Amino acid sequence: MGSDLTVSTDPAEVGFDAGRLERLDRRLSRWVDDGQLPGFLVTVARHGKLVHVGRGGLRDMDAGLPVEDDTRWRVFSMTKPVTSVAAMMLYEEGAFELTDPITKWLPEFAETRVYVAGSAQKPVTVPQIEPIRVWHLLTHTSGLTYGFHHAHPVDAIYRALGYEWGSPRDADLAEACRHWASAPLVFQPGSEWNYGVSTDVLGRLVEVVSGQTLDEFFEQRIFAPLGMRDTSFGLRPEDDPESLARLYLATPGKPGGPSSGMVFGEAMDRGAHKKPVYLSGGGGLVSTAGDYLRFVEMLRRGGSYDGGRLLSPRTIRQMRTNHLPGNVDLVTYGRPLFAETPMRGVGFGLGFSMVLDPAAYGVLSSPGDYSWGGAASTAFYVDPVEDVTVQFFTQLLPSSTLPIRNYLRQLVNQALVD
């Protein structure tokens, strides 16, 4: 399986019904035809054999450019599993323990306070009872948040600091961490789950511990061993700018016209056209489907791909285990934020969510299937029970617009007939 996305295996050889797999493309194409999705690329593999690649729609609606195998996609939060793998590679070298306070390397978080009441302008705070530990960053239980949530006074403090969808001009990762450390935490570390900049701070930890910038670590330690030649923080000077799919924003209810339901998000689109100053371990990568498939297959295979071993199978198993205390789900332990998929019956490990209870989840799926997705509606999952990997790429913000992730599971699983 290379980066060229050539299907070389008859789906029937690995237990898929080819006719039933076509239902996946038909469902996705309907969203394209209805003007709700610009274009898409979906891959399905089993036992490491690529059995289905579906493509539809356009990567650039104004120029009429189609989705192609080498189309580059902003994967946004699908950067997070890469950063989590980077951290666990250092963990395997004995660089730290998961229970270590992050202040050993990031002393700015030593005095970070915890919000208890009040407004964004006048927050009432108390000291941390528990320090932020490495595992809190990996599990999103640190108390850090996102400015774009619009759900808590601390989110507004992040926005006032310049962190909503982007970062202040010329702020690098080290400075961003200092800014976040100056804001209160949403809760005491380890007491709840809240999606936020935890993985960005983890990326900074990787930098300090390894002595490399995050892009250097990724390139030398992850991308080169896996053969991921087209993955980087923003486009590189040698990359064709036309290969990058354009970013579209959902505009529900917008009447008429070929782009009904979507507009070109020019301001946000611009950010990925060159390497940013701020290397976001939480959301900064652009990649191709062929490249990211190598990363996903590395996870499925227990830490190695094409001879490049990044992690041991036992470490991957630890990462895809639910780490929420008492083995509870995200509904029980998390904050009720917008989510692309149900949080019932879903836990969270070291960098991924995983299905704990398919019946509670309400989607045809396997227990233990683990996954993550990005803000522009990209997604992947690995099903260790069926030995399947699935990826989906498009460029539509926000990811909560369409229930793509649920449809992927139900339409891939209904095509399995062995």
Side-chain angles (χ1 to χ4, degrees):
M1 187 192 302
S3 294
D4 60 351
L5 296 184
T6 303
V7 174
S8 55
T9 303
D10 177 356
E13 282 180 34
V14 293
F16 273 107
D17 180 316
R20 293 176 79 90
L21 267 178
E22 293 301 326
R23 293 174 176 177
L24 177 61
D25 294 0
R26 283 203 295 276
R27 169 65 270 194
L28 296 170
S29 295
R30 202 147 76 234
W31 278 320
V32 174
D33 296 343
D34 290 347
Q36 293 180 282
L37 203 60
F40 68 86
L41 196 155
V42 62
T43 72
V44 182
R46 193 178 201 196
H47 310 319
K49 294 181 165 67
L50 189 62
V51 296
H52 184 79
V53 178
R55 305 169 197 81
L58 304 170
R59 70 178 193 269
D60 182 335
M61 294 174 72
D62 290 333
L65 299 175
V67 169
E68 294 172 321
D69 287 358
D70 62 356
T71 295
R72 281 186 171 81
W73 311 92
R74 298 162 190 78
V75 297
F76 283 110
S77 288
M78 278 163 57
T79 306
K80 288 182 171 72
V82 180
T83 305
S84 301
V85 163
M88 294 307 288
M89 289 168 73
L90 294 170
Y91 170 77
E92 283 194 337
E93 292 168 12
F96 53 76
E97 292 186 85
L98 294 177
T99 51
D100 281 342
I102 65 170
T103 49
K104 282 190 176 184
W105 303 275
L106 305 174
E108 59 267 34
F109 286 96
E111 302 302 320
T112 300
R113 308 271 297 180
V114 179
Y115 172 94
V116 287
S119 66
Q121 289 72 34
K122 290 191 174 177
V124 180
T125 64
V126 297
Q128 292 178 49
I129 299 166
E130 163 83 348
I132 300 176
R133 301 181 188 275
V134 178
W135 79 271
H136 293 142
L137 297 178
L138 281 155
T139 56
H140 290 283
T141 56
S142 62
L144 295 161
T145 189
Y146 265 132
F148 61 72
H149 282 329
H150 293 263
H152 191 278
V154 176
D155 305 346
I157 294 172
Y158 278 45
R159 291 195 296 276
L161 289 167
Y163 298 91
E164 184 166 12
W165 283 101
S167 57
R169 202 181 171 85
D170 300 328
D172 62 7
L173 186 51
E175 190 172 344
C177 285
R178 289 191 290 273
H179 284 150
W180 298 324
S182 74
L185 299 174
V186 176
F187 47 73
Q188 291 286 352
S191 66
E192 293 183 50
W193 186 90
N194 184 57
Y195 197 43
V197 297
S198 290
T199 318
D200 291 85
V201 177
L202 188 69
R204 178 59 187 153
L205 190 76
V206 168
E207 289 191 331
V208 176
V209 170
S210 70
Q212 293 183 288
T213 58
L214 197 58
D215 59 330
E216 288 170 349
F217 188 98
F218 281 4
E219 182 55 45
Q220 292 171 26
R221 301 287 308 274
I222 297 177
F223 301 155
L226 295 183
M228 294 170 68
R229 291 185 291 273
D230 297 317
T231 307
S232 54
F233 282 101
L235 291 181
R236 300 161 299 199
E238 66 270 23
D239 294 332
D240 174 10
E242 282 197 346
S243 70
L244 182 66
R246 294 187 98 178
L247 188 63
Y248 294 91
L249 310 178
T251 55
K254 185 172 176 288
S259 59
S260 169
M262 291 175 291
V263 291
F264 173 47
E266 188 170 5
M268 284 191 70
D269 183 271
R270 210 178 301 127
H273 283 265
K274 64 179 197 306
K275 180 178 163 181
V277 174
Y278 163 56
L279 302 176
S280 169
L285 290 177
V286 298
S287 188
T288 61
D291 259 22
Y292 204 87
L293 182 58
R294 289 170 167 262
F295 180 78
V296 174
E297 279 291 315
M298 175 276 296
L299 297 174
R300 184 193 66 82
R301 295 175 191 201
S304 75
Y305 183 84
D306 255 8
R309 177 164 292 285
L310 306 188
L311 293 169
S312 93
R314 285 150 191 82
T315 301
I316 297 282
R317 202 156 58 228
Q318 176 83 340
M319 293 175 76
R320 60 181 178 85
T321 298
N322 185 25
H323 284 252
L324 300 182
N327 201 33
V328 297
D329 65 7
L330 286 168
V331 163
T332 309
Y333 204 70
R335 298 224 148 197
L337 301 169
F338 76 91
E340 295 77 15
T341 55
M343 294 170 98
R344 299 177 309 277
V346 176
F348 203 86
L350 303 178
F352 316 101
S353 65
M354 69 285 308
V355 177
L356 304 176
D357 180 347
Y361 181 41
V363 178
L364 183 59
S365 56
S366 298
D369 117 9
Y370 60 102
S371 63
W372 207 239
S377 303
T378 59
F380 80 90
Y381 74 85
V382 180
D383 184 334
V385 177
E386 302 294 354
D387 204 28
V388 163
T389 63
V390 176
Q391 302 185 106
F392 176 81
F393 297 92
T394 189
Q395 299 283 258
L396 178 70
L397 272 163
S399 55
S400 51
T401 308
L402 298 168
I404 291 162
R405 299 174 194 187
N406 294 347
Y407 275 103
L408 285 177
R409 283 180 173 84
Q410 74 191 57
L411 289 165
V412 169
N413 282 309
Q414 63 83 33
L416 276 169
V417 293
D418 71 339

